[in-house]
Every structure is written in C-alpha cells, then in structure tokens.
Amino acid sequence: MPADDRPARLGRPRAQPDTASGLSPRDQILDAAAALFVENGFSATSTRAIAERVGIRQASLYYHFAGKDDLLVELLTTSVRPSLDVVRGLVDRVPGSVSAAGALAALVLIDVDTLARTPHNIGTLYMLPEVQGDRYDGFRADRQELQDTYGRLGTLAATADIRATVTPERLGGILIQLAETVIQLRRDREVDDQDREAITGTCLRACGLTPDAVATARRDATALLTAASV
C-alpha cells in the first residue's frame, strides 16, 4: 500500500500542537477556539473540544490559558487593539499636521482591515451575554476608547450643521457601527477593496463631507497609512 494511502494513526493527543501549520501553540489554540465559538456558540464549546480540535491534551491547553473566558477575551481584544495602537499616534496630530477627515478615513480603513482579518469572524460574538461580565471589562474599555476616537475625529471632520445637531458620543456610536458592518459582510463572502471604499465613504459622508472632501480624505488616509507602515 502506498504511504499516502495508509490510514492515519489516531495515537494519543500531543502535549503541544503540531508546528507544521506555522502557527505558535498559543495561536493554534486561539484559532481552534475562535472556530468552535463561532460554529457552536461559546456556552456549548468546552475546553476539551478546543484541545481536541488542536490535537493536544486538555491539560496542555491550560498551560497557555486559564479557561474559555481567557480565550474569548484574547480573541475579542485582537479585534480592537490593532486599530487603537495605530490610531493613537494619529489622533495627537489632529488638527495640526494631519487632517481630521484623513485621520478618520485612516481609522475606518484600519478598523475594517482588522475586523476582516480576525480569525473566523470573531466579531460576531461581540453581543454575547457573557461579554457583559466583569472579565471582559478590558475589552469593553478598549472598544469604548475606539468609539470615542471615532466621535472625536468625526466631530472635528464634520460640517458645522452636523456638529450642531449630533454629539460626539452619538456620532462615534454611529461611525463605529458603520465600520463594523464588515462583520455582517463576512457572514456571506470575502470582504474586498470595494467594500472598504464603500464603508469609508459612508462614514465620511455621515459627517457631512462633500464628494471632493471625501476624495481628499481618502488620499490623506493613504498617505498616513503608508507613512505609518514605514
């Protein structure tokens, strides 16, 4: 019988994940947890099931994480923190060397890309009842900071009539929800550049920007993101 046709040997679960995937043991566990949380729900997923998906002993999972809540906190944080890390450096330069509209457009693009890359569309779990618990205070604080940043940049970029009628808190809530439509788009298909452009343009227009101002903001955002990546 050719080697490739031999039945796989089940054997015993390993102490550590297989490194052939290129992911670290910790990342393999996170990826398996994300898949199972989204497929089966958080409550219905056990740490044993996560360990079995990776192919390790349950005890080995606890070497990296204390339990399911720690896994979900880590996954949710990765859907917010990268956007914050980049944007914090931009916000302090507004409205000096960086235009508010350009910084807002950059934030939307970063946020959409972050959410588009989260493993197994983990953003679908934002509204889980468990996420309202104390263990998730850090994630909720990060997301609130992100929403506040949307509100601050949106207000600075907005036209006078928008600033007169919409508070920064309300505008931030609207803008972050527009950016997070990428979570729903991922349920049906891959997110592409047209989606990114549409979401960014919608956020800018929600601030009252004209088509010319939207185009300028997009160019400014491209320059900002290019400079940030150097």
Side-chain angles (χ1 to χ4, degrees), residues 90-91 93-107 149-150 152-158 204 207 209 217 220-221 224:
L90 297 178
V91 171
R93 295 160 57 193
V94 175
S97 60
V98 174
S99 72
L104 175 60
L107 170 56
T149 302
Y150 270 107
R152 177 182 172 184
L153 292 177
T155 299
L156 288 171
L204 294 169
C207 297
L209 272 65
D220 290 347
L224 287 171

PDB file of all heavy atoms in Angstrom, residues 90-91 93-107 149-150 152-158 204 207 209 217 220-221 224:
ATOM      1  N   LEU A  90      -1.983  58.951  15.566  1.00  0.00           N
ATOM      2  CA  LEU A  90      -2.512  59.936  14.632  1.00  0.00           C
ATOM      3  C   LEU A  90      -3.329  61.007  15.332  1.00  0.00           C
ATOM      4  O   LEU A  90      -3.290  62.178  14.960  1.00  0.00           O
ATOM      5  CB  LEU A  90      -3.385  59.247  13.574  1.00  0.00           C
ATOM      6  CG  LEU A  90      -2.712  58.238  12.653  1.00  0.00           C
ATOM      7  CD1 LEU A  90      -3.746  57.621  11.721  1.00  0.00           C
ATOM      8  CD2 LEU A  90      -1.615  58.908  11.841  1.00  0.00           C
ATOM      9  N   VAL A  91      -4.087  60.588  16.335  1.00  0.00           N
ATOM     10  CA  VAL A  91      -5.036  61.496  16.964  1.00  0.00           C
ATOM     11  C   VAL A  91      -4.345  62.719  17.549  1.00  0.00           C
ATOM     12  O   VAL A  91      -4.847  63.849  17.448  1.00  0.00           O
ATOM     13  CB  VAL A  91      -5.827  60.753  18.059  1.00  0.00           C
ATOM     14  CG1 VAL A  91      -6.655  61.729  18.883  1.00  0.00           C
ATOM     15  CG2 VAL A  91      -6.738  59.705  17.434  1.00  0.00           C
ATOM     16  N   ARG A  93      -1.975  64.306  16.476  1.00  0.00           N
ATOM     17  CA  ARG A  93      -1.507  65.234  15.434  1.00  0.00           C
ATOM     18  C   ARG A  93      -2.658  65.964  14.750  1.00  0.00           C
ATOM     19  O   ARG A  93      -2.456  66.745  13.824  1.00  0.00           O
ATOM     20  CB  ARG A  93      -0.691  64.461  14.402  1.00  0.00           C
ATOM     21  CG  ARG A  93       0.590  63.885  14.992  1.00  0.00           C
ATOM     22  CD  ARG A  93       1.123  62.741  14.142  1.00  0.00           C
ATOM     23  NE  ARG A  93       1.375  63.129  12.763  1.00  0.00           N
ATOM     24  CZ  ARG A  93       1.597  62.257  11.772  1.00  0.00           C
ATOM     25  NH1 ARG A  93       1.587  60.955  12.038  1.00  0.00           N
ATOM     26  NH2 ARG A  93       1.835  62.685  10.552  1.00  0.00           N
ATOM     27  N   VAL A  94      -3.881  65.705  15.198  1.00  0.00           N
ATOM     28  CA  VAL A  94      -5.063  66.366  14.637  1.00  0.00           C
ATOM     29  C   VAL A  94      -5.463  67.487  15.591  1.00  0.00           C
ATOM     30  O   VAL A  94      -5.522  67.285  16.812  1.00  0.00           O
ATOM     31  CB  VAL A  94      -6.217  65.343  14.498  1.00  0.00           C
ATOM     32  CG1 VAL A  94      -7.487  66.047  14.028  1.00  0.00           C
ATOM     33  CG2 VAL A  94      -5.836  64.215  13.556  1.00  0.00           C
ATOM     34  N   PRO A  95      -5.759  68.685  15.089  1.00  0.00           N
ATOM     35  CA  PRO A  95      -5.820  69.082  13.682  1.00  0.00           C
ATOM     36  C   PRO A  95      -4.568  69.802  13.201  1.00  0.00           C
ATOM     37  O   PRO A  95      -4.672  70.745  12.410  1.00  0.00           O
ATOM     38  CB  PRO A  95      -7.013  70.029  13.671  1.00  0.00           C
ATOM     39  CG  PRO A  95      -6.936  70.711  15.016  1.00  0.00           C
ATOM     40  CD  PRO A  95      -6.322  69.715  15.959  1.00  0.00           C
ATOM     41  N   GLY A  96      -3.391  69.400  13.637  1.00  0.00           N
ATOM     42  CA  GLY A  96      -2.158  70.044  13.214  1.00  0.00           C
ATOM     43  C   GLY A  96      -1.687  69.568  11.870  1.00  0.00           C
ATOM     44  O   GLY A  96      -2.154  70.008  10.821  1.00  0.00           O
ATOM     45  N   SER A  97      -0.741  68.620  11.878  1.00  0.00           N
ATOM     46  CA  SER A  97      -0.152  68.163  10.623  1.00  0.00           C
ATOM     47  C   SER A  97      -1.014  67.129   9.907  1.00  0.00           C
ATOM     48  O   SER A  97      -0.734  66.768   8.771  1.00  0.00           O
ATOM     49  CB  SER A  97       1.226  67.556  10.901  1.00  0.00           C
ATOM     50  OG  SER A  97       1.116  66.450  11.799  1.00  0.00           O
ATOM     51  N   VAL A  98      -2.063  66.658  10.571  1.00  0.00           N
ATOM     52  CA  VAL A  98      -2.938  65.638   9.987  1.00  0.00           C
ATOM     53  C   VAL A  98      -4.365  66.158   9.975  1.00  0.00           C
ATOM     54  O   VAL A  98      -4.851  66.665  10.989  1.00  0.00           O
ATOM     55  CB  VAL A  98      -2.871  64.331  10.800  1.00  0.00           C
ATOM     56  CG1 VAL A  98      -3.885  63.325  10.292  1.00  0.00           C
ATOM     57  CG2 VAL A  98      -1.469  63.744  10.747  1.00  0.00           C
ATOM     58  N   SER A  99      -5.037  66.052   8.837  1.00  0.00           N
ATOM     59  CA  SER A  99      -6.431  66.492   8.762  1.00  0.00           C
ATOM     60  C   SER A  99      -7.325  65.505   9.500  1.00  0.00           C
ATOM     61  O   SER A  99      -7.081  64.290   9.504  1.00  0.00           O
ATOM     62  CB  SER A  99      -6.886  66.604   7.301  1.00  0.00           C
ATOM     63  OG  SER A  99      -7.036  65.319   6.718  1.00  0.00           O
ATOM     64  N   ALA A 100      -8.369  66.022  10.140  1.00  0.00           N
ATOM     65  CA  ALA A 100      -9.289  65.167  10.874  1.00  0.00           C
ATOM     66  C   ALA A 100      -9.978  64.177   9.944  1.00  0.00           C
ATOM     67  O   ALA A 100     -10.152  63.002  10.280  1.00  0.00           O
ATOM     68  CB  ALA A 100     -10.314  66.019  11.610  1.00  0.00           C
ATOM     69  N   ALA A 101     -10.362  64.643   8.762  1.00  0.00           N
ATOM     70  CA  ALA A 101     -11.047  63.757   7.814  1.00  0.00           C
ATOM     71  C   ALA A 101     -10.112  62.658   7.336  1.00  0.00           C
ATOM     72  O   ALA A 101     -10.520  61.498   7.193  1.00  0.00           O
ATOM     73  CB  ALA A 101     -11.570  64.561   6.626  1.00  0.00           C
ATOM     74  N   GLY A 102      -8.850  62.997   7.089  1.00  0.00           N
ATOM     75  CA  GLY A 102      -7.882  61.979   6.679  1.00  0.00           C
ATOM     76  C   GLY A 102      -7.631  60.972   7.775  1.00  0.00           C
ATOM     77  O   GLY A 102      -7.541  59.759   7.525  1.00  0.00           O
ATOM     78  N   ALA A 103      -7.526  61.457   9.034  1.00  0.00           N
ATOM     79  CA  ALA A 103      -7.325  60.547  10.156  1.00  0.00           C
ATOM     80  C   ALA A 103      -8.535  59.655  10.354  1.00  0.00           C
ATOM     81  O   ALA A 103      -8.396  58.463  10.664  1.00  0.00           O
ATOM     82  CB  ALA A 103      -7.038  61.340  11.426  1.00  0.00           C
ATOM     83  N   LEU A 104      -9.745  60.203  10.186  1.00  0.00           N
ATOM     84  CA  LEU A 104     -10.957  59.391  10.307  1.00  0.00           C
ATOM     85  C   LEU A 104     -10.993  58.317   9.236  1.00  0.00           C
ATOM     86  O   LEU A 104     -11.303  57.150   9.515  1.00  0.00           O
ATOM     87  CB  LEU A 104     -12.198  60.277  10.211  1.00  0.00           C
ATOM     88  CG  LEU A 104     -13.538  59.535  10.213  1.00  0.00           C
ATOM     89  CD1 LEU A 104     -13.718  58.729  11.495  1.00  0.00           C
ATOM     90  CD2 LEU A 104     -14.697  60.527  10.028  1.00  0.00           C
ATOM     91  N   ALA A 105     -10.680  58.700   7.993  1.00  0.00           N
ATOM     92  CA  ALA A 105     -10.661  57.713   6.911  1.00  0.00           C
ATOM     93  C   ALA A 105      -9.638  56.620   7.185  1.00  0.00           C
ATOM     94  O   ALA A 105      -9.887  55.430   6.945  1.00  0.00           O
ATOM     95  CB  ALA A 105     -10.364  58.398   5.581  1.00  0.00           C
ATOM     96  N   ALA A 106      -8.480  57.006   7.724  1.00  0.00           N
ATOM     97  CA  ALA A 106      -7.451  56.017   8.071  1.00  0.00           C
ATOM     98  C   ALA A 106      -7.954  55.078   9.160  1.00  0.00           C
ATOM     99  O   ALA A 106      -7.736  53.865   9.098  1.00  0.00           O
ATOM    100  CB  ALA A 106      -6.177  56.728   8.520  1.00  0.00           C
ATOM    101  N   LEU A 107      -8.638  55.642  10.164  1.00  0.00           N
ATOM    102  CA  LEU A 107      -9.185  54.812  11.234  1.00  0.00           C
ATOM    103  C   LEU A 107     -10.172  53.793  10.682  1.00  0.00           C
ATOM    104  O   LEU A 107     -10.124  52.610  11.045  1.00  0.00           O
ATOM    105  CB  LEU A 107      -9.872  55.699  12.276  1.00  0.00           C
ATOM    106  CG  LEU A 107     -10.711  54.980  13.339  1.00  0.00           C
ATOM    107  CD1 LEU A 107      -9.886  53.942  14.084  1.00  0.00           C
ATOM    108  CD2 LEU A 107     -11.315  55.987  14.316  1.00  0.00           C
ATOM    109  N   THR A 149     -12.816  57.658  19.933  1.00  0.00           N
ATOM    110  CA  THR A 149     -11.922  58.197  18.908  1.00  0.00           C
ATOM    111  C   THR A 149     -12.695  58.484  17.628  1.00  0.00           C
ATOM    112  O   THR A 149     -12.477  59.513  16.972  1.00  0.00           O
ATOM    113  CB  THR A 149     -10.768  57.220  18.637  1.00  0.00           C
ATOM    114  OG1 THR A 149     -10.064  56.973  19.848  1.00  0.00           O
ATOM    115  CG2 THR A 149      -9.802  57.793  17.609  1.00  0.00           C
ATOM    116  N   TYR A 150     -13.594  57.578  17.265  1.00  0.00           N
ATOM    117  CA  TYR A 150     -14.468  57.844  16.115  1.00  0.00           C
ATOM    118  C   TYR A 150     -15.239  59.149  16.335  1.00  0.00           C
ATOM    119  O   TYR A 150     -15.368  59.974  15.422  1.00  0.00           O
ATOM    120  CB  TYR A 150     -15.459  56.694  15.924  1.00  0.00           C
ATOM    121  CG  TYR A 150     -14.991  55.582  15.032  1.00  0.00           C
ATOM    122  CD1 TYR A 150     -14.626  54.347  15.556  1.00  0.00           C
ATOM    123  CD2 TYR A 150     -14.955  55.740  13.651  1.00  0.00           C
ATOM    124  CE1 TYR A 150     -14.212  53.307  14.733  1.00  0.00           C
ATOM    125  CE2 TYR A 150     -14.547  54.709  12.817  1.00  0.00           C
ATOM    126  CZ  TYR A 150     -14.179  53.500  13.368  1.00  0.00           C
ATOM    127  OH  TYR A 150     -13.772  52.473  12.544  1.00  0.00           O
ATOM    128  N   ARG A 152     -14.510  61.716  18.309  1.00  0.00           N
ATOM    129  CA  ARG A 152     -13.645  62.894  18.313  1.00  0.00           C
ATOM    130  C   ARG A 152     -13.232  63.278  16.898  1.00  0.00           C
ATOM    131  O   ARG A 152     -13.360  64.442  16.495  1.00  0.00           O
ATOM    132  CB  ARG A 152     -12.396  62.623  19.150  1.00  0.00           C
ATOM    133  CG  ARG A 152     -11.399  63.771  19.156  1.00  0.00           C
ATOM    134  CD  ARG A 152     -10.169  63.422  19.972  1.00  0.00           C
ATOM    135  NE  ARG A 152      -9.121  64.431  19.829  1.00  0.00           N
ATOM    136  CZ  ARG A 152      -7.920  64.331  20.368  1.00  0.00           C
ATOM    137  NH1 ARG A 152      -7.606  63.282  21.098  1.00  0.00           N
ATOM    138  NH2 ARG A 152      -7.016  65.277  20.176  1.00  0.00           N
ATOM    139  N   LEU A 153     -12.750  62.296  16.136  1.00  0.00           N
ATOM    140  CA  LEU A 153     -12.318  62.600  14.772  1.00  0.00           C
ATOM    141  C   LEU A 153     -13.499  62.981  13.893  1.00  0.00           C
ATOM    142  O   LEU A 153     -13.397  63.884  13.048  1.00  0.00           O
ATOM    143  CB  LEU A 153     -11.586  61.394  14.177  1.00  0.00           C
ATOM    144  CG  LEU A 153     -10.237  61.047  14.796  1.00  0.00           C
ATOM    145  CD1 LEU A 153      -9.663  59.792  14.150  1.00  0.00           C
ATOM    146  CD2 LEU A 153      -9.259  62.207  14.651  1.00  0.00           C
ATOM    147  N   GLY A 154     -14.619  62.278  14.068  1.00  0.00           N
ATOM    148  CA  GLY A 154     -15.800  62.591  13.267  1.00  0.00           C
ATOM    149  C   GLY A 154     -16.286  64.001  13.511  1.00  0.00           C
ATOM    150  O   GLY A 154     -16.651  64.718  12.565  1.00  0.00           O
ATOM    151  N   THR A 155     -16.274  64.432  14.771  1.00  0.00           N
ATOM    152  CA  THR A 155     -16.725  65.787  15.104  1.00  0.00           C
ATOM    153  C   THR A 155     -15.770  66.832  14.530  1.00  0.00           C
ATOM    154  O   THR A 155     -16.203  67.872  14.008  1.00  0.00           O
ATOM    155  CB  THR A 155     -16.839  65.943  16.630  1.00  0.00           C
ATOM    156  OG1 THR A 155     -17.811  65.005  17.122  1.00  0.00           O
ATOM    157  CG2 THR A 155     -17.265  67.351  17.006  1.00  0.00           C
ATOM    158  N   LEU A 156     -14.473  66.578  14.619  1.00  0.00           N
ATOM    159  CA  LEU A 156     -13.502  67.511  14.055  1.00  0.00           C
ATOM    160  C   LEU A 156     -13.621  67.606  12.533  1.00  0.00           C
ATOM    161  O   LEU A 156     -13.415  68.677  11.949  1.00  0.00           O
ATOM    162  CB  LEU A 156     -12.082  67.087  14.435  1.00  0.00           C
ATOM    163  CG  LEU A 156     -11.677  67.284  15.896  1.00  0.00           C
ATOM    164  CD1 LEU A 156     -10.334  66.614  16.170  1.00  0.00           C
ATOM    165  CD2 LEU A 156     -11.615  68.770  16.243  1.00  0.00           C
ATOM    166  N   ALA A 157     -13.962  66.476  11.901  1.00  0.00           N
ATOM    167  CA  ALA A 157     -14.064  66.459  10.437  1.00  0.00           C
ATOM    168  C   ALA A 157     -15.416  66.953   9.940  1.00  0.00           C
ATOM    169  O   ALA A 157     -15.535  67.363   8.772  1.00  0.00           O
ATOM    170  CB  ALA A 157     -13.827  65.040   9.928  1.00  0.00           C
ATOM    171  N   ALA A 158     -16.420  66.928  10.796  1.00  0.00           N
ATOM    172  CA  ALA A 158     -17.803  67.166  10.366  1.00  0.00           C
ATOM    173  C   ALA A 158     -18.053  68.614   9.977  1.00  0.00           C
ATOM    174  O   ALA A 158     -17.355  69.545  10.407  1.00  0.00           O
ATOM    175  CB  ALA A 158     -18.758  66.762  11.479  1.00  0.00           C
ATOM    176  N   LEU A 204     -17.501  58.971   6.040  1.00  0.00           N
ATOM    177  CA  LEU A 204     -17.159  60.364   5.770  1.00  0.00           C
ATOM    178  C   LEU A 204     -18.400  61.172   5.382  1.00  0.00           C
ATOM    179  O   LEU A 204     -18.570  62.320   5.822  1.00  0.00           O
ATOM    180  CB  LEU A 204     -16.111  60.440   4.659  1.00  0.00           C
ATOM    181  CG  LEU A 204     -14.737  59.854   5.015  1.00  0.00           C
ATOM    182  CD1 LEU A 204     -13.869  59.736   3.773  1.00  0.00           C
ATOM    183  CD2 LEU A 204     -14.037  60.698   6.076  1.00  0.00           C
ATOM    184  N   CYS A 207     -20.536  62.375   8.134  1.00  0.00           N
ATOM    185  CA  CYS A 207     -20.038  63.591   8.789  1.00  0.00           C
ATOM    186  C   CYS A 207     -20.330  64.840   7.959  1.00  0.00           C
ATOM    187  O   CYS A 207     -19.896  65.945   8.327  1.00  0.00           O
ATOM    188  CB  CYS A 207     -18.539  63.477   9.031  1.00  0.00           C
ATOM    189  SG  CYS A 207     -18.088  62.144  10.157  1.00  0.00           S
ATOM    190  N   LEU A 209     -19.390  65.397   4.732  1.00  0.00           N
ATOM    191  CA  LEU A 209     -18.372  65.774   3.754  1.00  0.00           C
ATOM    192  C   LEU A 209     -18.900  65.681   2.325  1.00  0.00           C
ATOM    193  O   LEU A 209     -19.678  64.783   1.996  1.00  0.00           O
ATOM    194  CB  LEU A 209     -17.129  64.886   3.896  1.00  0.00           C
ATOM    195  CG  LEU A 209     -16.071  65.373   4.907  1.00  0.00           C
ATOM    196  CD1 LEU A 209     -16.631  65.341   6.315  1.00  0.00           C
ATOM    197  CD2 LEU A 209     -14.823  64.528   4.814  1.00  0.00           C
ATOM    198  N   ALA A 217      -9.900  63.238   1.673  1.00  0.00           N
ATOM    199  CA  ALA A 217      -9.684  62.477   2.903  1.00  0.00           C
ATOM    200  C   ALA A 217      -9.120  61.095   2.600  1.00  0.00           C
ATOM    201  O   ALA A 217      -8.242  60.597   3.320  1.00  0.00           O
ATOM    202  CB  ALA A 217     -10.994  62.358   3.672  1.00  0.00           C
ATOM    203  N   ASP A 220      -5.480  61.540   1.804  1.00  0.00           N
ATOM    204  CA  ASP A 220      -4.743  61.798   3.041  1.00  0.00           C
ATOM    205  C   ASP A 220      -4.575  60.511   3.850  1.00  0.00           C
ATOM    206  O   ASP A 220      -3.503  60.263   4.424  1.00  0.00           O
ATOM    207  CB  ASP A 220      -5.476  62.834   3.893  1.00  0.00           C
ATOM    208  CG  ASP A 220      -5.424  64.236   3.290  1.00  0.00           C
ATOM    209  OD1 ASP A 220      -4.618  64.451   2.361  1.00  0.00           O
ATOM    210  OD2 ASP A 220      -6.199  65.103   3.747  1.00  0.00           O
ATOM    211  N   ALA A 221      -5.619  59.692   3.893  1.00  0.00           N
ATOM    212  CA  ALA A 221      -5.546  58.435   4.645  1.00  0.00           C
ATOM    213  C   ALA A 221      -4.520  57.499   4.063  1.00  0.00           C
ATOM    214  O   ALA A 221      -3.756  56.857   4.803  1.00  0.00           O
ATOM    215  CB  ALA A 221      -6.926  57.756   4.660  1.00  0.00           C
ATOM    216  N   LEU A 224      -1.162  58.706   5.123  1.00  0.00           N
ATOM    217  CA  LEU A 224      -0.945  58.463   6.549  1.00  0.00           C
ATOM    218  C   LEU A 224      -0.604  57.000   6.805  1.00  0.00           C
ATOM    219  O   LEU A 224       0.320  56.685   7.544  1.00  0.00           O
ATOM    220  CB  LEU A 224      -2.202  58.848   7.339  1.00  0.00           C
ATOM    221  CG  LEU A 224      -2.492  60.331   7.495  1.00  0.00           C
ATOM    222  CD1 LEU A 224      -3.867  60.525   8.100  1.00  0.00           C
ATOM    223  CD2 LEU A 224      -1.429  60.972   8.378  1.00  0.00           C
TER     224      LEU A 224
END
